[in-house]
Amino acid sequence: MSARRGGPPRRQTLVGLWLLLSGVSLLGGALFALWLDGLLEPRGAARWTLWLGSLSGGGTILLVGWLLEQRLFAPLRHLQAQLARLVANPDARDDDPPEGWLQGLGPDLVRIREAWRDDRSRLATARTEGARSAARIRQELEALLQVLETPLLLCDRHRRLLLFNPAAETLFGEAPGLGLGKRLDALLPAASLHDALRQLPEDGSPREVLVPCGEHWLRATLRRIPDSQGETLLTLVDATAAWATELSAGATLTGLLPALRRHGAGLTSAADALSHLSGTDNDQLRRRLAWVVEEEGRGLAERLERLGETLDALQHQAERLTPLWSNDLWAALAERLSAGGLQLTPVGMPAWLKADAPALLEVLARLLERLAAHTGADMFDAEACLGNKRVYLDLCWQGTPLSEGDLSAWRGERLEALPLAPTLGEVLRQHASDAWSLADGNGRQARLRLPLPALERVGAPGPRTPPRPEFHDFGIAELPPPDAELAARPLRALEVVACDTETTGLELRRGDRLISIGACRIVNARLLARETFDLRVDPGRPIPSASTAIHGLTDADVSGAPPASVALPRFRDYLGDAVLLAHNAAFDLLALQPPDSGVRFDIPVLDTLLISRGLDPSLDGHDLDSLAERYGLRFPPGSRHTALGDARVTAELWLALLPRLEARGIATLGELLSLQASAFDREDASAS
């Protein structure tokens, strides 16, 4: 942005020339009238006529200029703003009709606007009819993505992400490399993965590769999509926990096997020797062999016990023991029991536990059926009590505790509804649990208690978040290669990050600091609703009350927030290879690049203020509020002067400016940067 447009905007130039010409004419007329008045010394009407005639030229220029401004130039600017809005957003609300001498154009403009909207409506209807099948497929795809528990990634031939599902978002958490249009290299940089991608067969045959991801190992299955443009599907499984369990159990079993073989061989040898002893043989040898049999038998029993413990550990470490909210368990159990006339009432505080939900539900249902038959009761209370790393599930009734004999018989019952029909006791052992009965302190109630593994988690499950609106965008595959020359890329093919900052004040070169960064991403000319960055920053100094009055942030709001030295690298990671967009970007760049940060944004920067000024140099009002009003954009309540709120409106403003730029023949980033440079004014970078 080295070029600079000299002089004031065109309208100010015209107004200045008009006032200068009027002033010169009036001054010249007054001097001429004074000269004639002294020379001719007229009286009465003649004197008035002389003065009026001398001043009439300047007055006429002043009056005609004012009349042209009010009746022609101002209506023309008003018409220009209307046309700019119509081009940017044909569906924006109607403005006031043309004014002044252009008032007669009002009906014609209304007719043009209505005809345009009618044509667009017909075209939209035709597209809707033709796209119904595609919309149905898309809805089914989005529903599948929401419920599928296997993390999925789909990338194009340039390894840009076209699709990912909620399971992938959960797997990668807050990783900055996850996002539509971002490179797979930034998310999973392992060389082995990218070697496998280069060697994938085109027929869709799968290939597996182990990929490190932080402290985890992922098992990635890669498939090239047949008859596509080189898209690749990756399915991911976190193999770390399974490996840890398998290796631990495998090491134990490996250590037990030689000991079991040794004890078995010892018993076989001793038994063989005993079988060959006659009655006349030495009693001492017989006793020695009996001792060997006893010792080997004891050792074998101990090893078998350890083998059983290891197998039990494998069972309750299995992945089917998943987090479970006790209230969800009680609700499912009550619904199941209602058909049999039993009533279950949850009491006490709910809790999180780990269990195989279907198997545990079957166990509880069987126990309640047996309790009802044994006690004659049809109403039970259900309570989850917290213990030491355990959650006790209690079934309570009015009466006396159960005997151990009854419980032992119930443990041996088989649960035919479960695979392989395990016994009730076997399912309890899989949960490292058992069942016993005890009386309450009041002596009137008894309970049946089942201890289960607790989960280090508190609070009820959060509300279900609405489906993410952008898990896929197959149009990204049509974009130019990411390593193509950036200046030649079409504007609609740019990946753009719109950002805004809030600071402690406006004097950034005199100690004011960053306190908030907000940003959102535009990919393929589409604003991604949830691809946002919103972070508060500890400025290391108090926030003045005058600044708080604007953005509403106080010292308490930024207390505990990361400093700029931590926040700015995070934002740079979020930005990736995108083009940076801001309104009055000079100020935001000063805020994002303090002298001690060590972070530099050496990327193309677009400024909606300069772009608007380059498109409409004759119009006043290029601030964000004026442009939002001009293009029919709205700030959600409470979002103005918040970093993320202003960034969203800046992004929407960019999308509104795109059709106007294309109408002017500005189609590439290089052409836009030239337009932006022509509108640059040193005042735009005046943040002190």
Side-chain angles (χ1 to χ4, degrees):
M1 296 192 298
S2 59
R4 181 187 173 195
R5 183 173 52 85
R10 189 178 305 168
R11 176 171 175 264
Q12 282 78 353
T13 302
L14 292 175
V15 171
L17 289 174
W18 165 56
L19 291 176
L20 178 62
L21 184 59
S22 300
V24 169
S25 298
L26 288 172
L27 179 60
L31 293 175
F32 183 67
L34 283 173
W35 178 70
L36 287 178
D37 195 350
L39 181 65
L40 302 176
E41 296 181 355
R43 296 288 185 270
R47 188 177 188 186
W48 282 103
T49 302
L50 184 147
W51 276 90
L52 287 174
S54 300
L55 297 175
S56 62
T60 300
I61 293 175
L62 184 64
L63 181 62
V64 169
W66 178 84
L67 188 63
L68 287 173
E69 168 65 20
Q70 296 297 315
R71 306 292 292 173
L72 180 61
F73 296 139
L76 279 173
R77 290 193 299 273
H78 179 69
L79 179 61
Q80 182 181 0
Q82 280 187 298
L83 291 175
R85 175 183 296 181
L86 188 62
V87 171
N89 184 7
D91 297 320
R93 73 185 195 285
D94 295 341
D95 250 333
D96 297 330
E99 303 167 345
W101 293 338
L102 303 182
Q103 191 171 3
L105 295 176
D108 295 329
L109 285 176
V110 170
R111 185 170 183 178
I112 291 173
R113 183 189 295 119
E114 294 303 325
W116 191 359
R117 289 178 178 172
D118 185 56
D119 290 342
R120 292 180 73 252
S121 176
R122 292 179 181 178
L123 181 60
T125 301
R127 287 177 175 172
T128 301
E129 292 295 329
R132 280 183 177 174
S133 177
R136 178 181 57 80
I137 295 173
R138 176 176 176 173
Q139 289 173 356
E140 293 175 354
L141 172 64
E142 290 174 349
L144 179 63
L145 290 176
Q146 291 292 332
V147 301
L148 194 63
E149 296 182 355
T150 301
L152 295 179
L153 300 174
L154 180 68
C155 61
D156 68 359
R157 64 186 184 281
H158 303 301
R159 299 181 191 171
R160 293 176 297 207
L161 292 180
L162 307 178
L163 173 150
F164 59 93
N165 64 344
E169 189 178 30
T170 301
L171 174 64
F172 292 106
E174 300 296 325
L178 183 67
L180 294 180
K182 292 190 175 182
R183 299 291 298 274
L184 182 65
D185 313 55
L187 186 65
L188 294 170
S192 58
L193 173 63
H194 301 289
D195 288 341
L197 285 171
R198 282 193 292 269
Q199 300 171 16
L200 271 183
E202 300 295 331
D203 61 359
S205 302
R207 293 290 185 272
E208 285 195 357
V209 62
L210 295 175
V211 183
C213 180
E215 298 179 355
H216 296 266
W217 284 90
L218 304 180
R219 182 184 292 114
T221 303
L222 318 177
R223 288 182 176 86
R224 191 82 74 198
I225 305 298
D227 301 323
S228 70
Q229 299 180 1
E231 287 89 350
T232 303
L233 179 67
L234 292 82
T235 57
L236 305 169
V237 176
D238 188 349
T240 312
W243 283 357
T245 299
E246 291 173 8
L247 290 174
S248 174
T252 303
L253 292 174
T254 302
L256 286 173
L257 187 58
L260 289 173
R261 287 173 175 168
R262 186 174 62 250
H263 291 306
L267 284 173
T268 302
S269 299
D272 183 63
L274 281 173
S275 65
H276 288 84
L277 285 177
S278 64
T280 61
D281 289 331
N282 194 328
D283 288 340
Q284 183 178 0
L285 179 59
R286 187 184 300 276
R287 287 194 299 272
R288 184 180 180 85
L289 290 174
W291 178 84
V292 169
V293 170
E294 182 181 356
E295 285 298 309
E296 294 294 339
R298 186 181 301 112
L300 182 61
E302 291 175 357
R303 297 306 189 278
L304 289 174
E305 180 66 23
R306 287 192 60 192
L307 178 62
E309 292 173 356
T310 302
L311 292 175
D312 285 344
L314 276 175
Q315 288 179 320
H316 28 82
Q317 288 174 2
E319 293 181 357
R320 63 173 176 266
L321 297 187
T322 57
L324 182 62
W325 182 238
S326 62
N327 275 0
D328 293 340
L329 178 67
W330 299 141
L333 186 58
E335 182 178 356
R336 177 169 179 167
L337 295 173
S338 60
L342 299 181
Q343 184 176 345
L344 189 69
T345 305
V347 297
M349 296 295 293
W352 285 97
L353 57 131
K354 291 184 69 175
D356 178 359
L360 182 60
L361 192 65
E362 188 70 26
V363 166
L364 292 172
R366 178 66 62 87
L367 288 174
L368 279 167
E369 290 172 1
R370 294 293 177 263
L371 278 174
H374 181 83
T375 63
D378 58 3
M379 298 177 61
F380 297 90
D381 290 341
E383 184 175 9
C385 304
L386 289 176
N388 183 20
K389 296 185 178 181
R390 309 290 283 175
V391 172
Y392 297 104
L393 295 186
D394 291 350
L395 303 176
C396 312
W397 67 93
Q398 296 283 344
T400 58
L402 299 169
S403 68
E404 181 58 32
D406 292 329
L407 286 176
S408 179
W410 294 355
R411 290 190 195 99
E413 293 188 10
R414 293 201 170 273
L415 304 175
E416 292 80 5
L418 296 179
L420 303 179
T423 65
L424 191 148
E426 288 172 345
V427 174
L428 290 177
R429 284 194 296 276
Q430 290 173 5
H431 289 78
S433 181
D434 200 354
W436 64 85
S437 186
L438 65 158
D440 283 0
N442 56 21
R444 296 189 300 272
Q445 273 192 319
R447 59 184 64 209
L448 178 61
R449 170 162 288 181
L450 280 69
L452 292 165
L455 195 67
E456 293 181 2
R457 182 173 172 184
V458 295
R464 185 177 184 273
T465 56
R468 184 183 177 120
E470 65 281 333
F471 275 125
H472 58 85
D473 186 349
F474 298 110
I476 293 172
E478 307 298 330
L479 298 179
D483 52 356
E485 187 179 352
L486 192 58
R489 297 194 71 180
L491 296 179
R492 290 186 178 272
L494 292 175
E495 181 183 2
V496 178
V497 168
C499 84
D500 186 72
T501 60
E502 300 297 338
T503 60
T504 58
L506 301 178
E507 298 183 347
L508 295 174
R509 292 194 178 98
R510 296 193 180 98
D512 279 318
R513 287 291 180 263
L514 183 70
I515 58 175
S516 179
I517 310 173
C520 52
R521 191 176 298 274
I522 301 169
V523 176
N524 205 19
R526 176 185 176 202
L527 177 58
L528 304 183
R530 300 251 318 261
E531 279 283 335
T532 60
F533 183 93
D534 190 12
L535 184 64
R536 291 177 181 173
V537 182
D538 186 352
R541 54 166 293 179
I543 302 176
S545 57
S547 298
T548 298
I550 297 174
H551 48 58
L553 295 177
T554 64
D555 293 332
D557 294 324
V558 298
S559 177
S565 60
V566 175
L568 289 174
R570 287 188 194 173
F571 177 61
R572 188 64 184 85
D573 289 340
Y574 171 81
L575 187 60
D577 298 325
V579 173
L580 187 63
L581 174 75
H583 191 80
N584 191 15
F587 180 85
D588 294 304
L589 283 176
L590 280 176
L592 292 171
Q593 300 181 108
D596 55 347
S597 70
V599 178
R600 288 294 174 264
F601 294 85
D602 49 351
I603 54 176
V605 178
L606 298 178
D607 189 339
T608 49
L609 183 149
L610 298 180
I611 296 171
S612 176
R613 185 182 291 169
L615 285 172
D616 301 307
S618 61
L619 291 181
D620 292 331
H622 298 285
D623 58 278
L624 193 57
D625 288 300
S626 298
L627 292 176
E629 176 68 22
R630 184 176 303 163
Y631 290 104
L633 310 177
R634 290 288 175 266
F635 294 92
S639 67
R640 184 66 175 108
H641 293 300
T642 65
L644 183 57
D646 287 357
R648 285 186 184 277
V649 174
T650 302
E652 293 174 2
L653 176 59
W654 161 254
L655 296 176
L657 291 171
L658 271 178
R660 296 206 59 215
L661 291 167
E662 292 167 344
R664 298 285 183 92
I666 300 171
T668 66
L669 177 61
E671 293 168 346
L672 178 56
L673 290 175
S674 298
L675 172 73
Q676 181 172 280
S678 71
F680 179 70
D681 194 301
R682 195 169 298 278
E683 294 178 359
D684 299 322
S686 62
S688 57

